[in-house]
């Protein structure tokens, strides 16, 4: 069942979202060759706790870290590692902050130093798809409109959408209804209504979209070794433009 949020509840989620966005802004300053994703993870946990929030991913179904940190062929849910990042890599940092019982979720892909034009193009296309999806997230539209907008960007740019992972509702729980697919037919699926809070979080890869989960039960990597990028915001559905809660 979809949990509709009041204006007061949206402001509480927005407070959690500000912590997430502030944390991402600090990560952007810190990510450079030689830094490890484990160092970033420790920073994120400290930042959240200093701001009165809890890193909601830590302990969720046994997940041991405050962030997911994904590099190379790992497209999401990668464990932070004590391995220095290399010039030219891209890395996705995903986090969820819980503040006063309300959660906000955002993932961002970062360039480590100077990256190749091919990786920069992948990042730009995935980010563009996120915002194209957000543009469709208004009351009266449907989930399929979001997925179709994302899919059209992927197809026009020659990328695949990893459809094994989807967006979702969020609020007091990390994963609520509805499910938000990143592929779809316009005009289909659940109708969006004011008061819904969802995430949109497309993953694009340069090769095939098929993935395998490592023995740790979390790390998702492409079968063909393709590199991926992911961008995610938490947003509130309104009668006008979507209100991005993690900007």
């Amino acid at each position: 069942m979809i949990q509709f949020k009041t204006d007061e509840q949206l402001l509480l989620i927005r407070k959690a979202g500000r912590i997430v966005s502030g944390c991402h802004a600090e990560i952007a300053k810190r990510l450079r060759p030689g830094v490890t994703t484990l160092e970033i993870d420790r920073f994120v946990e400290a930042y959240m706790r200093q701001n009165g929030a809890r890193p909601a991913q830590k302990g969720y179904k046994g997940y041991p870290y405050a962030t997911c940190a994904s590099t190379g062929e790992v497209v999401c849910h990668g464990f932070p590692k004590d391995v220095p990042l290399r010039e030219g890599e891209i890395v996705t940092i995903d986090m969820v902050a819980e503040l006063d019982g309300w959660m906000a979720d955002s993932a961002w892909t970062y360039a480590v130093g100077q990256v190749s034009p091919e990786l920069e193009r992948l990042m730009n296309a995935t980010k563009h798809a996120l915002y194209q999806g957000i543009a469709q997230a208004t009351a009266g539209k449907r989930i399929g409109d979001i997925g179709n907008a994302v899919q059209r960007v992927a197809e026009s740019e020659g990328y695949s959408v990893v459809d094994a992972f989807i967006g979702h509702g969020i609020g007091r729980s990390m994963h609520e209804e509805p499910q938000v697919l990143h592929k779809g037919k316009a005009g289909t699926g659940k109708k969006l209504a004011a008061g819904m809070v969802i995430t949109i979080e497309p993953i694009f890869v340069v090769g095939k979209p098929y993935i395998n989960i490592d023995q740790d039960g979390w790390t998702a990597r492409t079968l063909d070794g393709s590199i991926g990028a992911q961008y995610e915001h938490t947003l509130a559905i309104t009668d006008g433009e979507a209100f991005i809660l993690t900007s």
Side-chain angles (χ1 to χ4, degrees):
M1 180 183 296
I2 295 173
Q3 305 293 321
F4 290 90
K5 278 71 176 179
T6 65
D7 289 345
E8 181 181 0
Q9 290 168 341
L10 291 177
L11 290 175
L12 292 171
I13 298 173
R14 173 59 172 153
K15 287 182 179 179
R18 284 200 182 101
I19 293 172
V20 171
S21 62
C23 199
H24 273 298
E26 291 299 321
I27 289 171
K29 300 174 187 176
R30 286 167 168 76
L31 268 178
R32 59 186 181 275
V35 171
T36 72
T37 51
L38 193 57
E39 289 171 344
I40 294 297
D41 185 80
R42 291 170 181 151
F43 166 78
V44 168
E45 179 164 6
Y47 183 97
M48 287 190 186
R49 296 195 186 283
Q50 287 166 6
N51 284 277
R54 180 182 74 87
Q57 288 176 179
K58 190 168 187 176
Y60 176 76
K61 295 185 177 180
Y63 187 79
Y65 297 100
T67 64
C68 297
S70 306
T71 59
E73 73 276 13
V74 176
V75 292
C76 65
H77 301 162
F79 284 11
K81 297 184 183 305
D82 195 21
V83 177
L85 291 166
R86 302 187 308 273
E87 177 83 21
E89 284 190 289
I90 62 174
V91 56
T92 300
I93 306 294
D94 186 6
M95 70 184 78
V96 183
E98 180 183 358
L99 181 67
D100 299 328
W102 294 94
M103 300 187 193
D105 185 0
S106 176
W108 217 251
T109 298
Y110 297 93
V112 182
Q114 187 71 34
V115 300
S116 68
E118 291 78 15
L119 287 179
E120 188 172 4
R121 180 172 172 269
L122 171 66
M123 294 167 66
N124 288 338
T126 313
K127 188 189 301 182
H128 178 58
L130 166 65
Y131 287 106
Q132 289 295 102
I134 290 172
Q136 296 296 317
T138 61
K141 290 278 193 175
R142 294 184 179 271
I143 293 291
D145 296 314
I146 296 172
N148 182 258
V150 171
Q151 184 178 353
R152 282 190 286 113
V153 175
E155 291 174 349
S156 68
E157 297 291 340
Y159 298 116
S160 299
V161 180
V162 179
D163 53 7
F165 300 100
I166 60 176
H168 49 87
I170 188 169
R172 285 198 176 276
S173 298
M174 192 183 303
H175 296 107
E176 300 178 352
E177 289 295 323
Q179 297 185 340
V180 181
L181 280 64
H182 301 113
K183 296 172 72 173
K185 183 179 179 182
T188 65
K190 282 189 171 66
K191 184 176 283 189
L192 301 170
M196 293 169 65
V197 176
I198 62 172
T199 71
I200 302 176
E201 46 188 290
I203 302 171
F204 284 8
V205 293
V206 296
K208 301 294 185 182
Y210 311 117
I211 59 96
N212 187 57
I213 306 298
D214 286 1
Q215 289 186 348
D216 60 27
W218 291 97
T219 304
R221 65 181 75 236
T222 54
L223 289 178
D224 62 5
S226 295
I227 293 175
Q230 181 182 30
Y231 291 88
E232 173 189 16
H233 272 312
T234 297
L235 54 122
I237 306 300
T238 74
D239 291 322
E241 292 183 359
F243 178 25
I244 300 176
L245 300 167
T246 48
S247 63

